Amino acid sequence: MTDQNSETAEQAKANRSNATVAVICAGVFFGMVGLSFAAVPLYQLFCQVTGYGGTTQRAEEASDTILDREIIVSFDANVAPGLDWDFKPKQKKVRVKLGQMTEIMYEAKSLAQQVSTGTSTFNVAPFEVGGYFNKIDCFCFTEQPLQSGESIDMPVVFFIDPELDKDESLKNIKEITLSYTFFELPKDGEEETAAVASPSDAATDKL
């Protein structure tokens, strides 16, 4: 009987352990689902606060100083899986002077069979240049709906802070790449499902 009781206790312990693992896995899964829908605004907030990963700066007006030093700015475009769009810059690169305000254009066209909505994140490379790359006008982090077959031109107005010329670590920088990636935004019903599934909401309800 002692051996039987011991086996029963061990089995019960194993069942509790398996149940705990299952609960943790479920929590991680639903947490990731919730975070995936919050990824873009969280990314925006994080980058605005930290300047992480080549995040550019926002400026209200153009620089009042223009230097003779020139830098080539190249433009890159990407579309994340799930968004059936054609997205590209209208010009591959431009040569600008430090402090010179410049406007370029990106183009997006929906190849989907129904209306779809995208939003974009961005960065510049080398990452160290992010603090000197100022955008006055930009389509990043905004919701952009497109009908099937619809296309749109999206401007970017920017300048490179002349203070970059004083940064000894960037003396040899001759080219900068501005890169955008468009992601699909979930439909309203999907957002509601994600909100219900989020464990943080469930925890709040219990408080």
Side-chain angles (χ1 to χ4, degrees):
M1 291 291 292
T2 303
D3 291 341
Q4 185 176 359
N5 290 339
S6 177
E7 290 178 0
T8 302
E10 289 294 332
Q11 183 63 41
K13 181 178 179 181
N15 290 340
R16 286 195 300 271
S17 178
N18 291 337
T20 301
V21 171
V23 170
I24 292 174
C25 289
V28 170
F29 171 77
F30 287 118
M32 291 178 67
V33 170
L35 286 175
S36 67
F37 292 110
V40 171
L42 286 177
Y43 179 91
Q44 179 185 14
L45 177 61
F46 176 70
C47 291
Q48 285 177 339
V49 172
T50 66
Y52 174 77
T55 303
T56 63
Q57 306 300 305
R58 290 301 301 262
E60 298 298 326
E61 56 186 22
S63 171
D64 56 5
T65 301
I66 298 178
L67 304 182
D68 289 333
R69 179 181 172 184
E70 294 183 329
I71 288 182
I72 295 173
V73 181
S74 300
F75 306 103
D76 179 54
N78 306 278
V79 179
L83 183 62
D84 194 10
W85 284 14
D86 180 32
F87 173 55
K88 60 189 176 184
K90 285 201 162 185
Q91 53 272 89
K92 292 293 185 182
K93 58 182 62 179
V94 295
R95 184 184 296 272
V96 300
K97 293 183 177 181
L98 296 186
Q100 176 187 350
M101 186 174 68
T102 303
E103 179 177 350
I104 61 96
M105 203 75 66
Y106 275 80
E107 178 184 24
K109 180 178 181 179
S110 174
L111 306 178
Q113 297 302 310
Q114 65 285 325
V115 63
S116 55
T117 303
T119 190
S120 66
T121 59
F122 63 90
N123 67 10
V124 295
F127 290 163
E128 296 82 3
V129 178
Y132 298 100
F133 199 101
N134 292 271
K135 289 189 295 185
I136 296 176
D137 188 20
C138 175
F139 54 85
C140 48
F141 299 122
T142 59
E143 295 187 14
Q144 180 59 62
L146 289 179
Q147 299 290 333
S148 177
E150 183 183 4
S151 61
I152 186 171
D153 290 340
M154 297 174 291
V156 179
V157 181
F158 69 92
F159 67 90
I160 303 172
D161 194 329
E163 290 296 311
L164 179 144
D165 197 49
K166 300 177 182 179
D167 192 329
E168 292 296 328
S169 66
L170 301 176
K171 280 293 185 182
N172 296 322
I173 291 294
K174 292 180 171 52
E175 184 166 352
I176 297 171
T177 299
L178 175 63
S179 179
Y180 286 89
T181 300
F182 255 103
F183 297 86
E184 183 180 27
L185 282 179
K187 299 179 178 62
D188 291 340
E190 293 173 343
E191 288 178 339
E192 292 174 2
T193 300
V196 171
S198 174
S200 60
D201 293 341
T204 301
D205 292 340
K206 293 179 180 179
L207 295 178

